């Protein structure tokens, strides 16, 4: 019986003092509110979408990662600017931040509207390209189109 009472004692002591049920529920609610705020900050720093573009600028795959939909017109803007910006991994468009890598003729383009660490986005795109290349045994336009469902599901 002593062990059970010790468990109850531990449950109702926070920072060395006893708290009532109302204070305890307030503490739990404020902790949940803080966790929710942290999740929102994390979500706001995420990539919003990923596009796989062919050499000709065709959108082979579009994967929206958040609830906010990014229009494909960002790809047209990117392709219009591609000659001058092709070597830059991070590009600031009028409405989005764009991150790009090119592997075997396929451009992996990621978009977000909020500032985020650029290396995190570039590393993510590199890993996606590596996983697809390893899984498909190479990476080219025909392989991506032939294995569209697999690529779409893996591109998460």
């Amino acid at each position: 019986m002593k062990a059970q009472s010790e468990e109850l004692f531990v449950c109702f002591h926070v920072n060395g003092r006893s708290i009532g049920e109302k204070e305890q529920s307030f503490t739990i609610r404020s902790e949940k509110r803080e966790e929710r705020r942290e999740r929102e900050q994390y979500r706001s720093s995420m990539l919003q979408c990923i596009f796989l573009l062919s050499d000709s600028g065709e959108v082979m795959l579009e994967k929206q990662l958040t609830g906010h939909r990014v229009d494909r017109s960002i790809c047209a803007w990117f392709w219009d600017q591609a000659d001058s910006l092709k070597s830059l991994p991070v590009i600031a468009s009028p409405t989005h931040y764009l991150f790009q890598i090119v592997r075997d003729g396929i451009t992996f383009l990621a978009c977000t509207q909020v500032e985020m660490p650029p290396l995190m986005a570039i590393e993510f795109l590199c890993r996606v390209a590596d996983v697809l290349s390893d899984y498909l045994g190479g990476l080219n336009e025909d392989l991506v189109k032939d294995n569209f469902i697999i690529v779409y599901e893996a591109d998460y």
Side-chain angles (χ1 to χ4, degrees):
M1 189 69 173
K2 187 176 181 180
Q4 288 178 346
S5 63
E6 286 177 10
E7 286 180 17
L8 292 174
F9 182 77
V10 171
C11 290
F12 289 99
H13 275 75
V14 176
N15 294 332
R17 66 180 185 91
S18 181
I19 60 173
E21 288 184 29
K22 289 183 180 178
E23 287 182 65
Q24 186 178 17
S25 67
F26 175 75
T27 304
I28 291 170
R29 277 184 279 151
S30 64
E31 287 174 359
K32 287 182 180 179
R33 198 175 301 129
E34 194 172 308
E35 288 174 10
R36 199 175 313 126
R37 190 177 307 123
E38 287 175 7
R39 277 197 308 268
E40 289 301 320
Q41 287 174 345
Y42 176 74
R43 285 184 188 143
S44 67
S45 67
M46 290 186 349
L47 295 173
Q48 293 175 316
C49 69
I50 298 174
F51 297 101
L52 268 61
L53 307 173
S54 68
D55 275 340
S56 62
E58 172 192 2
V59 177
M60 296 188 298
L61 180 121
E62 171 185 345
K63 179 77 171 188
Q64 299 290 332
L65 302 174
T66 63
H68 177 74
R69 183 165 164 63
V70 177
D71 192 45
R72 279 188 177 197
S73 63
I74 195 71
C75 294
W77 181 89
F78 169 76
W79 209 253
D80 290 341
Q81 308 293 320
D83 294 333
S84 60
L85 304 174
K86 197 68 169 173
S87 63
L88 299 175
V90 181
I91 303 161
S93 79
T95 58
H96 292 81
Y97 294 101
L98 306 175
F99 306 94
Q100 67 157 335
I101 64 166
V102 179
R103 294 276 178 93
D104 299 325
I106 297 175
T107 302
F108 290 78
L109 183 68
C111 306
T112 185
Q113 288 183 318
V114 295
E115 289 186 16
M116 65 178 290
L119 289 178
M120 184 169 67
I122 298 298
E123 178 67 20
F124 178 75
L125 290 176
C126 288
R127 288 188 183 223
V128 168
D130 290 342
V131 166
L132 290 177
S133 180
D134 289 346
Y135 191 80
L136 299 176
L139 198 58
N140 62 45
E141 189 175 342
D142 293 332
L143 280 172
V144 170
K145 287 182 178 180
D146 291 344
N147 297 290
F148 177 80
I149 300 296
I150 293 170
V151 173
Y152 186 81
E153 292 297 323
D155 202 6
Y156 194 99

